[in-house]
């Protein structure tokens, strides 16, 4: 793949708006202001080589139907309606959900028996049609391997009260797992070391991007939705204008021709169709010109779109609804679980319950590694909050000790453990810190504790281990989850410190720097706040405005 390849940015609908409570979800991209190495799969989302409201009134909140809702509405009305429903179903493209070998355990139901829902939104930069190539530029990439340049995880809480969105920079270094293309059976071996996450789409399809996310985050993904350039334009045009704001006149084009071509006057203006795509793809002209600035603009657009769908009465127009139904169903590729109009409608009914003020947009905290980025410790904190279904806006109701105990018991009962004496446990010494060496013999001491509690197959790892701030119990696959939990419970380690990891081959206890001495583990207080480095943006913030780089004003 040549350095002339470019990167894309797309909008994906997750949607529906009934009673003014629908929502629409878009996308995110990443940071990059450094040269892309040849062959690294790096394209710029603008076709360049990379360098470097007012509360809705109740009367107006009735029947704000999305494309999906329209399709269900016409069911049963007539034979023609049924045929149209089948036609819309036929529009929807499907692909397998997970192409990897390993699975992540499904989240544990809360005390009311409810489970969260995780949907991965993927924006493909495919230039596989003349329309996509025209919108994406870069003629030399026509028909090339697509990249997943937009990756955004949408987490809907178990009680459906809040929604959290986590975007991953496209140039995040990850290990792509082994994936098998369901269409031709071709196997893509796991990447040799870490590569950019956007390359995962070329390893058999969106199901490999899902597998990559699960490997990195430990978050179980229920569904995915993918859209390309043409899909962004068609749906943005059908939805109508979405207001966006810039703090100065902007023209995203430099003397070398870099830029999306976006041209807006200072202030708030509605964008739709191709202009909406330009907004979403603009890097040259926003703030420091990095992909993180572009991500911020995408989050603003997404929040604004949600508010428009909730408040815009024009969506009751049958012709506009029909057009939106056609374009939305034709624009997306989904997993089989979302492969029908009814499934999308059911999803929209769940999403519409969340008020904009309970939607939180974030970007995965990251740091530069040469010309790329990698997740930081704050990123793991963000992933943990999602795994544990903790609202990123900090407005979760505090649970009583009884509720916490009940959820802990439920969490430990979904995968029965083997007998303690049959559980093999490897104990590693991770007690070192930046200023202190690891405690000699600590792995052996904790191994003796386990043996004394009946875990006869516990074994101390004699090799050096990486330092770990907190004591953790790791397991490689869902069938060992119960065993790992049994080990944790025997030592008083909270179940929140039990995690699935591809870096271990069996149940592994890593004794962290928080347990350098003694025979009783005292769990540190958990910090359940969203890291500042995630740059959280609230869905109800209608005053957000993009700062224009002075070099791109007119």
């Amino acid at each position: 793949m040549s350095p002339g390849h470019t990167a894309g940015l797309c909008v994906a609908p997750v949607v529906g708006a009934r009673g003014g409570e629908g929502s629409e979800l878009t996308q995110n991209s990443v940071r990059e202001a450094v040269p892309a190495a040849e062959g690294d799969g790096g394209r710029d989302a603008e076709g360049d080589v990379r360098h470097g409201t007012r509360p809705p009134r109740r009367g107006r909140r009735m029947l704000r139907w999305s494309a999906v809702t329209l399709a269900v509405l016409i069911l049963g009305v007539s034979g023609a309606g049924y045929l149209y429903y089948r036609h819309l179903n036929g529009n929807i493209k499907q692909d397998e959900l997970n192409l990897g070998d390993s699975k992540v355990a499904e989240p544990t139901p809360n005390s009311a028996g409810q489970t969260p829902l995780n949907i991965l939104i993927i924006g493909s930069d495919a230039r596989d049609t003349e329309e996509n190539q025209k919108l994406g530029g870069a003629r030399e990439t026509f028909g090339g391997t697509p990249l997943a340049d937009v990756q955004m995880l949408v987490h809907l809480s178990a009680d459906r009260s809040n929604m959290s969105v986590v975007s991953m920079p496209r140039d995040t270094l990850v290990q792509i797992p082994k994936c098998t293309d369901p269409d031709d059976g071709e196997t893509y071996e796991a990447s040799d070391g870490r590569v950019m996450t956007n390359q995962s789409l070329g390893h058999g399809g969106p199901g490999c991007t899902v597998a990559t996310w699960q490997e990195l985050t430990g978050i179980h993904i229920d569904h995915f939705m993918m859209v390309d350039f043409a899909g962004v334009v068609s749906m943005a045009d059908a939805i109508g204008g979405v207001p966006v704001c810039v703090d100065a006149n902007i023209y995203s084009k430099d003397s070398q021709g870099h830029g999306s071509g976006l041209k807006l006057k200072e202030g708030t203006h509605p964008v739709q169709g191709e202009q909406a795509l330009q907004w979403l793809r603009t890097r040259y002209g926003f703030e420091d010109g990095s992909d993180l600035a572009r991500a911020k603009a995408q989050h603003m657009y997404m929040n604004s779109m949600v508010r428009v769908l909730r408040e815009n009465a024009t969506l009751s127009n049958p012709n506009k609804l029909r057009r939106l139904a056609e374009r939305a169903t034709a624009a997306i590729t989904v997993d089989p679980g979302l492969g029908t109009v009814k499934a999308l409608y059911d999803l929209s009914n769940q999403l519409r319950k969340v008020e904009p003020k309970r939607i939180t947009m974030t970007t995965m905290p990251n740091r530069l590694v040469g010309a790329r980025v990698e997740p930081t410790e704050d990123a793991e904190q963000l992933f943990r909050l999602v795994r544990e279904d903790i609202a990123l806006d900090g407005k979760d109701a505090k649970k009583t000790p009884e509720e916490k105990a009940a959820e802990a018991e439920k969490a430990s009962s979904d995968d029965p453990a083997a007998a303690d004496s049959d559980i093999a446990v490897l104990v590693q010494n991770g007690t070192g810190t930046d200023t202190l060496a690891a405690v000699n013999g600590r792995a052996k001491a904790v191994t003796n504790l386990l043996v004394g509690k009946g875990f006869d197959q516990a074994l101390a790892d004699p090799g050096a281990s990486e330092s770990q701030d907190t004591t953790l119990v790791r397991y490689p696959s869902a069938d060992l989850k119960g065993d790992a939990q049994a080990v944790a419970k025997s030592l008083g380690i909270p179940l929140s410190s039990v995690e699935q990891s591809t870096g271990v081959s069996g149940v592994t206890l890593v004794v962290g720097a928080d347990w350098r001495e003694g025979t009783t583990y005292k769990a540190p207080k958990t910090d359940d706040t969203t890291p500042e480095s995630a740059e959280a943006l609230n869905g109800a913030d209608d005053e957000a405005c993009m700062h224009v780089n002075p070099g791109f004003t007119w």
Side-chain angles (χ1 to χ4, degrees), residues 232-289:
V232 174
V233 172
S234 65
M235 288 189 297
D237 188 50
I239 290 166
V242 172
V244 295
C245 176
V246 287
D247 66 1
N249 295 350
I250 181 174
Y251 181 46
S252 177
K253 191 71 70 175
D254 66 11
S255 57
Q256 285 76 45
H258 300 141
S260 69
L262 176 71
K263 190 172 186 178
L264 286 176
K265 290 184 178 181
E266 176 183 351
T268 300
H269 308 278
V271 295
Q272 66 184 91
E274 190 168 351
Q275 192 177 42
L277 178 63
Q278 289 175 335
W279 173 273
L280 294 165
R281 299 181 66 214
T282 293
R283 174 163 69 86
Y284 292 92
F286 284 154
E287 300 187 353
D288 61 358

Side-chain angles (χ1 to χ4, degrees), residues 20 35 51 77 80 94 97 125 143 201-202 279 297 402 426 428 430 526:
H51 296 289
V77 173
Q94 298 183 39
L97 174 62
D125 78 340
L201 187 59
W279 173 273
E402 291 76 15
L426 181 66
Q428 297 180 335
T526 5

Side-chain angles (χ1 to χ4, degrees), residues 166-207:
V166 179
S167 299
M168 184 189 296
R170 66 180 178 183
D171 55 355
T172 300
L173 294 175
V174 297
Q175 177 143 21
I176 298 175
K178 175 183 175 182
C179 292
T180 303
D181 189 326
D183 294 329
D184 57 17
E186 181 177 356
T187 296
Y188 296 82
E189 296 300 329
S191 61
D192 184 12
R194 298 189 304 174
V195 297
M196 285 172 60
T197 183
N198 65 353
Q199 296 183 37
S200 59
L201 187 59
H203 289 223

Side-chain angles (χ1 to χ4, degrees), residues 443-454:
K444 182 62 177 176
V446 175
T447 298
N448 291 338
L449 280 177
L450 281 171
V451 171
K453 292 177 179 292

Side-chain angles (χ1 to χ4, degrees), residues 30 282 286-298 546:
V30 311
T282 293
F286 284 154
E287 300 187 353
D288 61 358
S290 73
D291 281 329
L292 290 182
R294 174 165 49 196
K296 186 183 297 184
Q298 294 164 6
M546 286 303 298

